[in-house]
Amino acid sequence: MRISILGANGQLGRDLTAALSGHAIQHLTRKDFDVTDHERARAVLSELKPEMIVNLTAYHRVDDCESNPELAYDVNVLAVLNLVRIANDLDAKMVQFSTDYVFDGSRTTPYDESSEPFPLSVYGNSRLAGEYIVRTQARRYVLIRTCGLYGRAGSQGKGGNFVETMLKKARNQEPIRVVNDQAVTPTSTADLARQLAVLLPTPHEGLFHATNDGACSWYEFAAAIFDIAGLRANLSPTTSESYKAPARRPRYSVLENKRLKELGLDRMLPWREALAEYLG
Ligand SMILES: NC(=O)c1ccc[n+]([C@@H]2O[C@H](COP(=O)([O-])OP(=O)(O)OC[C@H]3O[C@@H](n4cnc5c(N)ncnc54)[C@H](OP(=O)(O)O)[C@@H]3O)[C@@H](O)[C@H]2O)c1
């Protein structure tokens, strides 16, 4: 299958390119076009004629979105609408990504695909608006919500990834304070890419949650990183309140891969096993 991957140099993009190596991958980065340049996006994709468009681009600096909502909506919503229209015109399947931050975190049990979203931040709102565009406008689509990604390439948009940041701080013997009041599921992009290589070639469409299995706080995740890596670190727990971050984050945003499980397609590892694989 001809598959255009947009944002192919990002952490999921690199691993997905490898996992889909049996397909004709069209590796697209900002150098090919900025997704906010609608005309250029259409010209390049019309030339390539992909059968599937995988959009990994996003403006996902969560705190910066609060002060720059225009850019958040340009990248996370209007560019998505343009890509959906291109996909429809090319009769291509649209594959779009979204986030656990579409939920408000008031629950204490995992959110599945039927749970009601209620975002707390500009970022979460823009991603939910992007979801609605895909769900209401795309003729054929797969929409993936995931959480807490880390991968070998490191997030381009966020300047690295959480695991590498923790390892660096520990090696420099810096005091490390990490929030212990946000429950998430850290997810390895290598493992998610393998899952996508199973799901995307099937005819199954619609909304899917896809994260590693289980849950922890960011503090517990940091502790596991040091435990598995065999590093001693000056780690202590802190609260979201003490961080005073501009964007509100959900206290609990654990997702359940309910649809993947129902279809017998869930291949995602428990988060600690995926972390051990990454560190190994
Ligand atoms: N990271 C997480 O924890 C997390 C959690 C939930 C969902 N997600 C979603 O999962 C997807 C993949 O995430 P990721 O961590 O792999 O992201 P990433 O490493 O930051 O990669 C995103 C890629 O998109 C490109 N990009 C961004 N804006 C663009 C634009 N306007 N035009 C063209 N290219 C643009 C970036 O290029 P540049 O390097 O040139 O900026 C980068 O290569 C994203 O939709 C993300 O929001 C991520």
Side-chain angles (χ1 to χ4, degrees), residues 6-13 29-30 33-36 55-60 75 96-100 123 127 144-150 154-158 189 218:
L6 283 55
N9 271 347
Q11 48 184 356
L12 181 55
T29 71
R30 202 190 285 267
F33 57 85
D34 188 304
V35 288
T36 61
N55 180 27
L56 301 175
T57 71
Y59 183 54
H60 56 181
V75 179
Q96 174 64 26
F97 284 75
S98 186
T99 170
D100 53 315
Y123 171 68
R127 297 316 298 259
I144 309 274
R145 287 194 192 125
T146 188
C147 172
L149 295 185
Y150 61 91
S155 174
Q156 311 288 302
K158 297 180 179 179
T189 55
W218 289 108

